[in-house]
Amino acid sequence: MLLLAPISLSAARPELWQDLPDPQHHASQQDLCTADALSPSRLIVAGWACRCCSHADKRRQILGFLLPGDFVGRVLLPDLPLPYGVVALTALKTVSARPLVEAAANPDSAALARAVRLTAHLDDLLLFNQLMRLGQQTARERVVHLILELHERLGWVGLTRDDRFAMPLTPDVLADALGLSVVHVNRALQQLRTDGLLDVGDGTVALLKPEQLQDIAKWTSLSGTLKQ
Amino acid sequence: MLLLAPISLSAARPELWQDLPDPQHHASQQDLCTADALSPSRLIVAGWACRCCSHADKRRQILGFLLPGDFVGRVLLPDLPLPYGVVALTALKTVSARPLVEAAANPDSAALARAVRLTAHLDDLLLFNQLMRLGQQTARERVVHLILELHERLGWVGLTRDDRFAMPLTPDVLADALGLSVVHVNRALQQLRTDGLLDVGDGTVALLKPEQLQDIAKWTSLSGTLKQ
DNA sequence: CGACGAGTTGAACTTTGTCAAGCTTCGTGG
DNA sequence: CCACGAAGCTTGACAAAGTTCAACTCGTCG
């Protein structure tokens, strides 16, 4: 039987969900799910994706990023159409999450059921973070805040090393996520670089002064709230 | 047995949820639930409230408004702490939603269970609307978009008349919801007024040219997506 | 070698925020 | 009943933040 870490599916040890059935590969830019369709019940094993609302006039808003260990779609409302699309940002590997979801329905596996619920809770938290960024923060703060969020989430699944991680996001994806123009995202990054706070380039990020960055972004750890 | 409209709890006919037990009254500005506490399982019968994240340095972001018929907290995760607070914006009357939630768990009442799930779905939709406003829209667009959203939601529970409704929001509440400064919200409202598009004042709003407003805000009806 | 595209920079412009002053409204106390 | 002060709403002028457009760099690929 599966044993999960107490935080969420994302935080379960990778070896647990990498062996789920029906592995599939998706090319970068491919839709995993279009808006208003039923979302597949799948888990991301490798690669990055995003939830994304494209409103007609070529403006699009990225609602959040999906990282290895994350659920595609909504765990608790699998039967309702997704109000957003899910798009692969890199080459992607996913597996079926059905065994997990079905096992969670079994009254015996309370821990798994709890992990599923915590996953939904985490989704909410991430969405609120996103809202706070867009509604309250300046460009500089938003960039740092998002990077810290990604850093924490990737840490859960062992994808960071020494405050450094791979971030396969093009500037325009970043811009769509932060509600800023590409140019301005670049400016903010540039300044953070010259301030010696972080080192971004070529698909990787290094947090040079983590405490100072947390200060700038008013960051509060997610695991704090998730632990209960 | 309760019969609900096919959209959500909000859209159920008011006479159905006004008779739920344990009515309570709350003063304006009172907290219905503080952040990180368990949310009460209650329904709003009269008055407005909001979900609201107050981050230390006196910036606060309103995540969304709660109107008559709305659930306080999250229907699907009643056992996890709310990541935001709920605050009354006017004098408020609430009732216990327990009978509804318990009835929904009964396998006989599939329609009610569906309504509960649609309520959660609607919450998501509203949150995404809010994200799109904050991330993609200009001040003018945001104001109009929010007003159209409120108009539609209030329409569901019979609180509109001829494109006119009561909106008991002070400018600073509006500002916190839209991620704008009070002054700028006023500017936007003022211009909409002089453009003859809407008439705001003294707690009521009138949509003078609905189609034009929908155009400005790129509004798409919620019931469209909810009907499925 | 040149053309292309992604990433970066600079400068003008637009949108939004800030500050300060004026205007209501409303409740209070003389 | 009226004057007063306080608080909230509104407006104007200026400052700051962000956007747009265009030019420039620098690898990569033909």
Side-chain angles (χ1 to χ4, degrees):
Chain A
M1 195 50 247
L2 291 169
L3 279 177
L4 290 166
I7 291 198
S8 68
L9 291 182
S10 308
R13 294 187 314 259
E15 65 271 23
L16 296 176
W17 34 263
Q18 279 174 352
D19 294 331
L20 288 167
D22 187 24
Q24 286 183 14
H25 294 264
H26 310 264
S28 178
Q29 311 306 320
Q30 194 178 333
D31 284 7
L32 297 192
C33 178
T34 61
D36 303 317
L38 290 183
S39 68
S41 177
R42 302 189 67 76
L43 224 50
I44 296 182
V45 172
W48 289 36
C50 69
R51 299 173 170 163
C52 154
C53 275
S54 307
H55 248 251
D57 50 340
K58 87 177 186 169
R59 298 194 268 190
R60 76 167 177 177
Q61 177 64 47
I62 291 179
L63 306 173
F65 294 103
L66 299 177
L67 310 180
D70 284 346
F71 213 89
V72 175
R74 294 178 294 186
V75 209
L76 295 181
L77 293 170
D79 55 331
L80 289 172
L82 265 196
Y84 50 81
V86 179
V87 183
L89 294 173
T90 67
L92 209 63
K93 181 182 174 192
T94 64
V95 294
S96 170
R98 278 194 197 288
L100 272 185
V101 176
E102 279 162 17
N106 179 337
D108 291 346
S109 44
L112 187 52
R114 181 166 171 79
V116 167
R117 300 167 70 69
L118 278 173
T119 296
H121 183 61
L122 174 61
D123 269 4
D124 271 9
L125 287 179
L126 293 174
L127 218 48
F128 296 142
N129 267 352
Q130 175 74 342
L131 260 159
M132 295 300 283
R133 279 193 289 265
L134 296 180
Q136 300 293 337
Q137 302 201 294
T138 65
R140 183 186 176 84
E141 293 168 336
R142 287 185 213 186
V143 169
V144 174
H145 198 273
L146 178 60
I147 286 178
L148 290 174
E149 181 184 295
L150 293 171
H151 179 253
E152 175 161 359
R153 291 172 65 193
L154 290 168
W156 294 341
V157 287
L159 291 174
T160 57
R161 258 186 37 190
D162 310 335
D163 292 332
R164 180 179 293 277
F165 61 93
M167 181 170 77
L169 300 180
T170 60
D172 66 294
V173 168
L174 223 39
D176 288 341
L178 297 173
L180 297 167
S181 64
V182 184
V183 179
H184 205 61
V185 169
N186 261 317
R187 264 197 268 275
L189 283 175
Q190 189 55 20
Q191 182 153 18
L192 289 165
R193 222 175 281 150
T194 62
D195 289 352
L197 294 172
L198 52 77
D199 184 12
V200 209
D202 215 35
T204 72
V205 182
L207 313 181
L208 300 180
K209 306 192 179 167
E211 314 79 14
Q212 223 165 321
L213 289 170
Q214 294 180 8
D215 236 44
I216 289 175
K218 281 108 198 161
W219 172 254
T220 53
S221 151
L222 291 163
S223 19
T225 24
L226 277 174
K227 284 262 180 53
Q228 141 72 330
Chain B
M1 194 50 247
L2 292 169
L3 279 177
L4 291 165
I7 291 198
S8 69
L9 291 180
S10 308
R13 294 185 316 260
E15 64 272 23
L16 295 176
W17 34 263
Q18 278 173 353
D19 294 331
L20 288 167
D22 186 24
Q24 287 182 12
H25 295 264
H26 309 262
S28 180
Q29 310 307 320
Q30 194 177 333
D31 285 6
L32 297 193
C33 176
T34 61
D36 302 317
L38 290 182
S39 68
S41 177
R42 303 188 66 76
L43 224 50
I44 296 182
V45 173
W48 290 35
C50 69
R51 299 174 169 160
C52 153
C53 275
S54 307
H55 248 252
D57 52 338
K58 87 176 186 171
R59 298 194 267 189
R60 75 167 177 177
Q61 177 64 47
I62 290 179
L63 305 173
F65 294 103
L66 300 177
L67 310 180
D70 283 346
F71 214 88
V72 175
R74 295 177 293 185
V75 209
L76 294 181
L77 293 171
D79 56 331
L80 290 172
L82 264 196
Y84 51 80
V86 178
V87 183
L89 294 173
T90 67
L92 209 64
K93 181 182 172 190
T94 64
V95 293
S96 170
R98 278 194 196 289
L100 273 186
V101 177
E102 279 161 19
N106 180 337
D108 291 346
S109 44
L112 186 51
R114 180 167 172 79
V116 167
R117 302 167 67 70
L118 279 173
T119 296
H121 183 61
L122 174 61
D123 270 4
D124 271 8
L125 287 178
L126 294 174
L127 219 47
F128 297 141
N129 266 352
Q130 176 74 342
L131 259 159
M132 295 299 283
R133 279 193 289 265
L134 296 180
Q136 300 293 334
Q137 302 199 293
T138 66
R140 183 185 175 85
E141 292 168 336
R142 289 186 211 185
V143 170
V144 175
H145 198 272
L146 178 60
I147 286 178
L148 289 174
E149 181 185 293
L150 293 170
H151 179 251
E152 175 161 0
R153 292 172 63 192
L154 289 168
W156 293 342
V157 287
L159 291 174
T160 56
R161 258 186 37 192
D162 310 334
D163 291 332
R164 180 179 293 273
F165 61 93
M167 181 171 76
L169 300 181
T170 60
D172 65 295
V173 168
L174 223 40
D176 288 340
L178 297 173
L180 297 167
S181 65
V182 184
V183 178
H184 204 62
V185 169
N186 261 318
R187 264 198 275 272
L189 283 175
Q190 189 56 20
Q191 182 154 20
L192 290 165
R193 222 175 281 151
T194 62
D195 290 353
L197 294 172
L198 52 75
D199 184 10
V200 209
D202 215 34
T204 72
V205 183
L207 312 181
L208 301 179
K209 305 190 178 168
E211 312 78 15
Q212 222 165 320
L213 289 170
Q214 294 179 8
D215 236 43
I216 290 176
K218 283 105 196 163
W219 172 254
T220 53
S221 151
L222 291 164
S223 19
T225 25
L226 278 174
K227 286 259 182 54
Q228 142 49 293

